[in-house]
């Protein structure tokens, strides 16, 4: 059974685990922080690149090969994928 990408991202965020993903042919290892819907209805992942700390946006439609890694991270930003009681 395949787990939907958004559920993988929520699980990774809740457990503070990095995610490896392919976006427009490039491979990224990121810390997931936020999912937002644009005015056009696209879902966008906001995440921090694990090795550069660059904050990036990824359109859900263009994500592929999403895998949760075993690499934990200490959040640099408030994580909007978690309920307020799980922050910090």
């Amino acid at each position: 059974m395949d787990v939907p990408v958004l559920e993988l991202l929520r699980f990774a965020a809740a457990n503070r685990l990095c995610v490896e993903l392919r976006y427009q042919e490039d491979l990224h290892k990121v810390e997931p922080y936020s999912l937002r819907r644009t005015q056009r209805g696209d879902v966008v992942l906001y995440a921090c690149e694990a090795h550069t700390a660059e904050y990036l946006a990824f359109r859900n439609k263009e994500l592929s090969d999403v895998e949760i890694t075993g690499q934990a991270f200490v959040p640099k930003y408030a994580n909007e994928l978690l309920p307020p009681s799980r922050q910090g």
Side-chain angles (χ1 to χ4, degrees), residues 2 22 24 28 41 45 47 54 64 66 68 71 74:
D2 289 329
R22 186 166 303 282
Q24 298 178 341
H28 298 269
L45 166 68
E54 182 179 5
S64 62
V66 177
I68 297 171
Q71 180 180 336
V74 176

Side-chain angles (χ1 to χ4, degrees), residues 21 23-24 28 30 34 38 43-49 54-60 62-63:
L21 54 85
Y23 185 75
Q24 298 178 341
H28 298 269
V30 299
S34 176
T38 66
V43 176
V44 178
L45 166 68
Y46 290 90
C48 187
E49 188 81 46
E54 182 179 5
Y55 204 68
L56 301 170
F58 303 95
R59 282 198 177 112
N60 183 50
E62 299 179 44
L63 294 176

Side-chain angles (χ1 to χ4, degrees), residues 3-74:
V3 177
V5 170
L6 298 181
E7 292 308 312
L8 286 174
L9 295 171
R10 286 185 182 106
F11 178 87
N15 292 283
R16 295 185 173 106
L17 294 171
C18 290
V19 175
E20 284 187 348
L21 54 85
R22 186 166 303 282
Y23 185 75
Q24 298 178 341
E25 306 301 321
D26 295 323
L27 191 60
H28 298 269
K29 184 184 281 186
V30 299
E31 302 168 2
Y33 285 98
S34 176
L35 288 170
R36 296 186 186 172
R37 187 171 301 276
T38 66
Q39 288 181 346
R40 293 194 319 199
D42 295 328
V43 176
V44 178
L45 166 68
Y46 290 90
C48 187
E49 188 81 46
H51 63 280
T52 65
E54 182 179 5
Y55 204 68
L56 301 170
F58 303 95
R59 282 198 177 112
N60 183 50
K61 291 184 208 174
E62 299 179 44
L63 294 176
S64 62
D65 302 328
V66 177
E67 291 186 30
I68 297 171
T69 71
Q71 180 180 336
F73 68 91
V74 176

Side-chain angles (χ1 to χ4, degrees), residues 74-86:
V74 176
K76 296 172 185 65
Y77 306 100
N79 195 320
E80 295 178 10
L81 292 170
L82 301 177
S85 63
R86 297 277 320 266

